[in-house]
């Protein structure tokens, strides 16, 4: 097909509002531009653009005593990439609108040692309808499939049913239940004197929904306004 220079760009602004000492709200708005290829005989335009936004909320409890240690519990939710669809050609492509919610529990054993356990759940809120149509090319007629993703305000509701999963060779695509569409992450983070951190985590995705599963390990250093983090993924 040729050699193309492809790139994507997103520019946005975010705003956070502290409702109270325990509750915070946030939002973002960004413009997205994507150039995959120049126009060709088969593609009217290889570029697409749209606008997307996020909404989030975070609640954190007041510190409380548990087993002689001071603890804090927090929970939050983020709804990302609510926006228009990307249109490179006749087909419209949905943005990866995503719902994430989770919680974290932090234990401060003393003024030097603290431990945080975090757990979150993610679901892609996209619903794609596939239409089959016949197209005449010269003296022959071919059948092609056109994808029609729901607008984001509809996908907020229509994406909670069964979904199309992994396409296996010589088989039909798997059907995912709502539970199988979620990815799960969990992790531990230890801090010493707000200077040195050790981390470990686990990520899981259903085999018919991407089949990613891995452990990760990491460490961090903080001094004044300077911070360095390293991480390693063990698949």
């Amino acid at each position: 097909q040729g050699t193309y220079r492809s790139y994507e760009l997103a520019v946005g602004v975010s705003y956070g509002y502290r409702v109270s000492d325990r509750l915070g709200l946030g939002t973002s708005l960004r413009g997205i531009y994507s150039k995959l290829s120049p126009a060709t005989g088969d593609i009217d335009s290889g570029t697409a653009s749209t606008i997307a936004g996020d909404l989030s909320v975070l609640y954190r409890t007041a510190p409380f005593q548990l087993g002689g240690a001071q603890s804090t519990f927090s929970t939050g939710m983020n709804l990302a990439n609510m926006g228009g669809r990307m249109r490179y050609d006749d087909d419209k492509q949905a943005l990866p609108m995503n719902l994430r919610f989770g919680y974290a529990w932090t234990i401060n054993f003393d003024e030097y040692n603290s431990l945080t356990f975090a757990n979150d759940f993610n679901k892609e809120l996209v619903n794609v309808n596939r239409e089959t149509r016949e197209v005449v090319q010269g003296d022959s007629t071919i059948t092609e499939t056109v994808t029609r993703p729901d607008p984001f305000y509809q996908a907020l509701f229509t994406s909670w049913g069964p979904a199309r999963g992994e396409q296996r060779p010589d088989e039909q695509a798997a059907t995912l239940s709502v539970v199988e569409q979620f990815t799960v992450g969990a992790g531990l983070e230890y801090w010493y004197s707000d200077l040195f951190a050790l981390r470990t985590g686990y990520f899981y995705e259903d085999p018919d929904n991407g089949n990613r599963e891995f452990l990760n390990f990491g460490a961090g250093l903080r001094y004044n306004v300077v911070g360095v983090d390293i991480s390693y993924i063990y698949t």
Side-chain angles (χ1 to χ4, degrees), residues 11-233:
V11 178
V13 60
S14 298
Y15 176 75
Y17 179 70
R18 185 171 171 175
V19 179
S20 67
D21 289 342
R22 306 299 166 208
L23 180 65
L25 302 175
T27 185
S28 296
L29 184 67
R30 73 183 66 85
I32 301 170
Y33 179 82
S34 173
K35 179 178 176 59
L36 295 185
S37 73
T40 67
D42 298 327
I43 301 175
D44 295 332
S45 173
T47 64
S49 60
T50 190
I51 295 175
D54 306 342
L55 290 173
S56 60
V57 59
L58 176 67
Y59 176 78
R60 182 177 291 117
T61 67
F64 58 92
Q65 293 293 320
L66 184 66
Q70 189 180 73
S71 299
T72 304
F73 183 84
S74 59
T75 183
M77 184 191 72
N78 173 255
L79 186 59
N81 285 325
M82 295 179 291
R85 292 166 291 183
M86 304 287 279
R87 183 168 184 171
Y88 298 97
D89 198 7
D90 291 338
D91 286 357
K92 294 180 179 179
Q93 307 295 329
L95 291 177
M97 185 166 62
N98 182 77
L99 172 67
R100 171 183 291 181
F101 58 91
Y103 61 90
W105 178 32
T106 299
I107 306 172
N108 296 308
F109 297 100
D110 51 43
E111 61 179 319
Y112 298 107
N113 300 279
S114 68
L115 183 68
T116 297
F117 171 77
N119 184 204
D120 69 19
F121 305 87
N122 286 266
K123 185 187 184 304
E124 190 176 70
L125 301 183
V126 174
N127 187 58
V128 179
N129 303 294
R130 289 172 170 81
E131 302 174 1
T132 302
R133 65 184 183 186
E134 292 185 345
V135 179
V136 177
Q137 290 187 350
D139 297 332
S140 61
T141 301
I142 63 172
T143 300
E144 65 179 16
T145 301
V146 180
T147 59
R148 304 292 185 191
D150 289 343
F152 80 91
Y153 49 84
Q154 292 183 8
L156 285 169
F157 306 97
T158 58
S159 60
W160 291 94
R164 182 185 177 94
E166 189 81 10
Q167 178 73 53
R168 299 188 182 92
D170 303 324
E171 295 183 21
Q172 291 185 344
T175 300
L176 300 170
S177 67
V178 173
V179 173
E180 291 170 332
Q181 296 171 42
F182 276 89
T183 64
V184 182
L188 285 172
E189 180 185 61
Y190 165 78
W191 274 99
Y192 176 76
S193 192
D194 290 331
L195 294 175
F196 176 70
L198 291 174
R199 306 181 182 98
T200 185
Y202 171 73
F203 179 88
Y204 175 79
E205 189 174 53
D206 188 271
D208 287 321
N209 191 33
N211 198 26
R212 292 177 296 170
E213 184 179 12
F214 53 81
L215 293 170
N216 54 53
F217 306 92
L221 289 172
R222 295 287 185 275
Y223 182 74
N224 203 346
V225 295
V226 178
V228 177
D229 293 291
I230 60 173
S231 62
Y232 175 76
I233 296 177

